[in-house]
């Protein structure tokens, strides 16, 4: 069979010489090209996203690093190890260089928790209260913020806070007025530890202690953290199994910072973590009583609508159990004379939510 050619001089058949692609094929090709362009741009887009995210949260990455391995950074004098300091305008400020009003004014000092920084008290969503600036505006107090290396032992930070507050009164006693301390989570334990070292036997009482009016403890694991207790138990069990994989996992888990490990029993003094029995399941713990004449406000969060159940006692606000937040020390019905403790429970409130809750703010506003 022979192919019939078109007559000489006639125009070629466009359907034979240059067939047009079907619309469906053209659409698939356009989608494929578009997908290839997107794929080629992904590395640049991803890097840009990471950069912008890092810039937005750069104030937070360093505190997280310090909370995780801050003790190791401090031991090798790494420049990334945070030094305890007052903070103003996003920078460390020496006590002598603090810009304070010349009139005496009630002063509220805020301490963040594990892996946090001073920004948790100052910034956030537009519809959530940030306690530091609001109290300064509405209650007429002076708000000061402390940042510290939360990977260090709690007792080490307690001693550093005792020194910092002592320096505050040495330089600015005439304008401080009454002193109020507010701590979230680990920050509350650091405050309690500082109080212990501020009135330690055989030493002169620190000047800030006699000016201390109130302490607010927001979601503080006063009897320890169930998360760290479970981590320690898991590490011990893995080590007991004693095969190569479990030994590796146990060793890796044990690299968490001293600050995290201290949360197991809420150790507030050096002697507890220095004890030869510190790694026992039932390790010794020194009870640190409240300072006499100081009003302690224990603010407890609960994820549940109703409190008092065994579930609430253990899980509480999701990170700190309700029983631990109240604590044996503050829940003791036979507290020493001169001790004032008020406990308030906030239902359906998470651990982080305690930092930006209108009801919590109103409590602070009313009692500060």
């Amino acid at each position: 069979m022979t192919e019939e050619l078109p007559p000489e001089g006639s125009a070629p058949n466009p359907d034979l010489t240059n067939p047009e692609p079907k619309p469906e094929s053209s659409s698939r090709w356009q989608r494929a090209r578009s997908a290839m362009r997107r794929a080629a741009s992904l590395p640049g887009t991803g890097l840009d996203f990471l950069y912008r995210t890092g810039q937005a949260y750069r104030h937070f990455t360093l505190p997280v690093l310090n909370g995780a391995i801050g003790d190791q950074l401090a031991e090798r004098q790494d420049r990334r190890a945070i030094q305890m300091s007052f903070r103003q305008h996003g920078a460390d400020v020496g006590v002598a260089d603090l810009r304070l009003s010349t009139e005496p004014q009630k002063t509220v000092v805020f301490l963040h928790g594990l892996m946090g920084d001073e920004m948790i008290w100052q910034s956030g969503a537009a519809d959530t209260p940030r306690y530091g600036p609001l109290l300064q505006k509405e209650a007429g107090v002076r708000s000061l913020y402390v940042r510290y290396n939360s990977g260090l032992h709690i007792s080490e930070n307690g001693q550093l806070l005792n020194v910092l507050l002592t320096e505050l009164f040495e330089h600015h006693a005439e304008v401080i007025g009454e002193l109020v301390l507010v701590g979230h989570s680990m920050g509350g334990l650091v405050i309690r530890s500082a109080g212990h070292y501020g009135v330690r036997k055989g030493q002169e009482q620190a000047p800030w202690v006699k000016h201390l009016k109130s302490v607010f403890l927001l979601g503080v694991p006063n009897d320890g953290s169930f998360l760290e207790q479970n981590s320690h138990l898991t590490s011990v069990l893995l080590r007991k199994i004693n095969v190569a994989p479990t030994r590796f996992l146990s060793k890796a888990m044990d690299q968490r910072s001293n600050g995290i490990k201290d949360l197991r029993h809420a150790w507030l003094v050096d002697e507890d973590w220095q004890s030869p029995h510190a790694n026992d399941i039932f390790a010794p713990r020194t009870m640190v009583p409240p300072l006499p004449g100081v009003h302690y406000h224990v603010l407890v969060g609960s994820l549940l609508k109703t409190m008092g159940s065994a579930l609430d006692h253990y899980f509480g606000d999701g990170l700190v159990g309700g029983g631990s937040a109240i604590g044996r020390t503050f829940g003791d019905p036979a507290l020493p004379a001169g001790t004032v403790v008020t406990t308030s429970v906030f239902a359906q409130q998470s651990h982080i939510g305690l930092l930006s809750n209108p009801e919590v703010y109103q409590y602070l506003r009313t009692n500060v």
Side-chain angles (χ1 to χ4, degrees):
M1 181 177 179
T2 60
E3 182 178 348
E4 185 175 349
L5 297 175
E8 187 176 352
S10 63
N13 188 339
D15 293 334
L16 294 176
T17 60
N18 189 25
E20 292 182 2
K22 294 181 179 180
E24 183 180 352
S25 299
S26 176
S27 176
R28 281 200 298 264
W29 172 241
Q30 289 173 353
R31 288 199 299 269
R33 283 193 301 178
S34 177
M36 285 188 287
R37 284 197 300 267
R38 288 197 300 271
S41 67
L42 276 177
T45 304
L47 289 173
D48 179 65
F49 172 77
L50 290 174
Y51 174 77
R52 286 185 284 105
T53 302
Q55 290 296 304
Y57 294 96
R58 63 186 183 278
H59 73 88
F60 190 60
T61 54
L62 188 62
V64 169
L65 179 66
N66 275 256
I69 57 170
D71 54 334
Q72 300 170 45
L73 296 176
E75 184 177 1
R76 60 175 181 257
Q77 297 182 329
D78 192 297
R79 60 182 180 80
R80 293 171 294 180
I82 291 173
Q83 306 297 316
M84 180 178 283
S85 175
F86 286 110
R87 299 277 291 179
Q88 287 183 334
H89 307 297
D92 290 353
V93 180
V95 175
D97 298 323
L98 284 171
R99 298 177 181 177
L100 306 181
S101 60
T102 57
E103 296 296 324
Q105 193 175 16
K106 182 182 293 184
T107 300
V108 183
V109 177
F110 293 87
L111 272 84
H112 58 78
L114 176 68
M115 298 186 182
D117 69 359
E118 73 283 356
M119 297 303 293
I120 64 171
W121 306 107
Q122 302 176 67
S123 62
D127 58 344
T128 57
R130 288 301 167 175
Y131 305 151
L134 270 180
L135 286 175
Q136 190 161 293
K137 177 182 177 181
E138 299 181 0
V141 301
R142 176 191 293 115
S143 294
L144 296 177
Y145 310 95
V146 172
R147 190 172 75 161
Y148 64 96
N149 180 348
S150 58
L152 298 179
H153 283 292
I154 293 171
S155 59
E156 291 179 305
N157 278 318
Q159 293 169 73
L160 290 171
L161 180 61
N162 176 42
V163 171
L164 189 69
L165 294 176
T166 297
E167 292 178 359
L168 179 66
F169 275 84
E170 288 175 348
H171 287 87
H172 306 286
E174 68 283 356
V175 299
I176 293 300
E178 292 180 335
L179 178 65
V180 176
L181 301 179
V182 181
H184 176 248
S185 197
M186 179 189 282
L189 297 179
V190 173
I191 289 172
R192 292 185 57 203
S193 178
H196 168 79
Y197 287 103
V199 297
R200 199 169 192 183
K201 290 182 179 179
Q203 298 180 2
E204 184 179 356
Q205 186 182 92
W208 62 271
V209 174
K210 65 179 181 180
H211 291 269
L212 183 61
K213 176 197 174 189
S214 304
V215 171
F216 292 82
L217 304 174
L218 282 63
V220 175
N222 289 299
D223 280 345
S225 165
F226 68 86
L227 292 174
E228 172 54 23
Q229 290 160 5
N230 291 337
S231 296
H232 177 74
L233 180 60
T234 301
S235 176
V236 170
L237 291 177
L238 288 172
R239 196 159 51 246
K240 293 290 185 183
I241 296 173
N242 198 27
V243 294
T246 62
R247 286 197 302 269
F248 174 80
L249 288 174
S250 177
K251 185 176 181 180
M253 290 182 65
D254 287 342
Q255 295 306 305
R256 63 196 187 280
S257 70
N258 289 328
I260 294 176
K261 292 176 182 177
D262 284 356
L263 290 174
R264 179 162 54 104
H265 295 299
W267 286 332
L268 305 181
V269 301
D270 289 344
E271 290 79 6
D272 288 344
W273 57 265
Q274 291 172 347
S275 168
H277 301 287
N279 287 321
D280 294 353
I281 297 297
F282 301 101
R285 178 189 176 210
T286 302
M287 299 299 291
V288 175
L291 295 172
V294 176
H295 192 163
Y296 286 80
H297 300 266
V298 181
L299 278 57
V300 182
S302 174
L303 295 177
L304 305 178
K305 291 183 179 179
T306 57
M307 286 69 71
S309 67
L311 200 62
D312 173 66
H313 183 88
Y314 187 77
F315 289 106
D317 61 21
L319 293 181
V320 175
S324 178
I326 295 174
R328 285 173 289 173
T329 298
F330 298 105
D332 186 352
L335 288 168
T339 303
V340 184
V341 176
T342 301
T343 300
S344 298
V345 182
F346 297 86
Q348 295 182 287
Q349 194 56 241
S350 69
H351 188 67
I352 301 301
L354 288 170
L355 291 167
S356 57
N357 180 271
E359 293 181 6
V360 174
Y361 170 70
Q362 285 304 321
Y363 184 96
L364 291 172
R365 171 73 178 81
T366 301
N367 294 281
V368 77

